[in-house]
Amino acid sequence: MVNVSSESGSLESMSGGTPAYGISKAALNALTRKLADELRTEGILVNAVCPGWIATDMGGPGGDPVDQGAAGVVWAATLPDSGPTGGFFRKGEPLPW
Ligand SMILES: NC(=O)c1ccc[n+]([C@@H]2O[C@H](COP(=O)([O-])OP(=O)(O)OC[C@H]3O[C@@H](n4cnc5c(N)ncnc54)[C@H](OP(=O)(O)O)[C@@H]3O)[C@@H](O)[C@H]2O)c1
């Protein structure tokens, strides 16, 4: 399970602006931890992924191309059974909560 999150939800780097967005992503990250723990015994991996700044309708011009943002999500969606669970990642690398 991949929860598409954002570094905007990281408490460690959280700043002002877009409060509903950042707080909802922090909640999604918390849900990721809860679900990961609940589903661990069933072998279901649950992770949160920030795609990075991507040039979509929301991201606007200047961000990375969509395929680069999607790659991090696909990475998490195709983890082996032995892969991480309950993590927060961008481009396959851990992000601080
Ligand atoms: N772009 C970035 O830089 C960036 C950075 C960090 C995280 N993210 C995250 O990446 C995810 C995708 O963002 P994006 O940049 O691709 O945003 P986007 O360009 O605004 O696209 C959002 C997509 O969600 C769909 N959507 C919105 N409300 C919906 C609803 N109620 N039910 C079903 N579909 C709905 C939209 O469908 P329609 O087109 O049909 O409206 C659209 O396909 C989001 O979770 C965002 O928080 C993006």
Side-chain angles (χ1 to χ4, degrees):
M1 183 182 298
V2 184
N3 291 328
V4 182
S5 184
S6 168
E7 193 173 10
S8 299
S10 169
L11 297 176
E12 183 162 310
S13 57
M14 193 170 280
S15 55
T18 61
Y21 185 74
I23 292 167
S24 71
K25 293 300 191 185
L28 180 64
N29 287 353
L31 179 66
T32 299
R33 296 297 294 255
K34 289 284 186 187
L35 279 178
D37 193 49
E38 296 274 351
L39 298 175
R40 193 182 306 271
T41 56
E42 295 182 44
I44 298 173
L45 308 179
V46 186
N47 291 292
V49 170
C50 171
W53 180 27
I54 304 299
T56 59
D57 287 347
M58 188 194 79
D64 288 333
V66 167
D67 61 341
Q68 288 187 26
V73 177
V74 171
W75 171 82
T78 55
L79 286 168
D81 290 348
S82 59
T85 189
F88 185 26
F89 298 96
R90 182 166 58 212
K91 297 182 176 172
E93 299 295 329
L95 275 180
W97 294 104

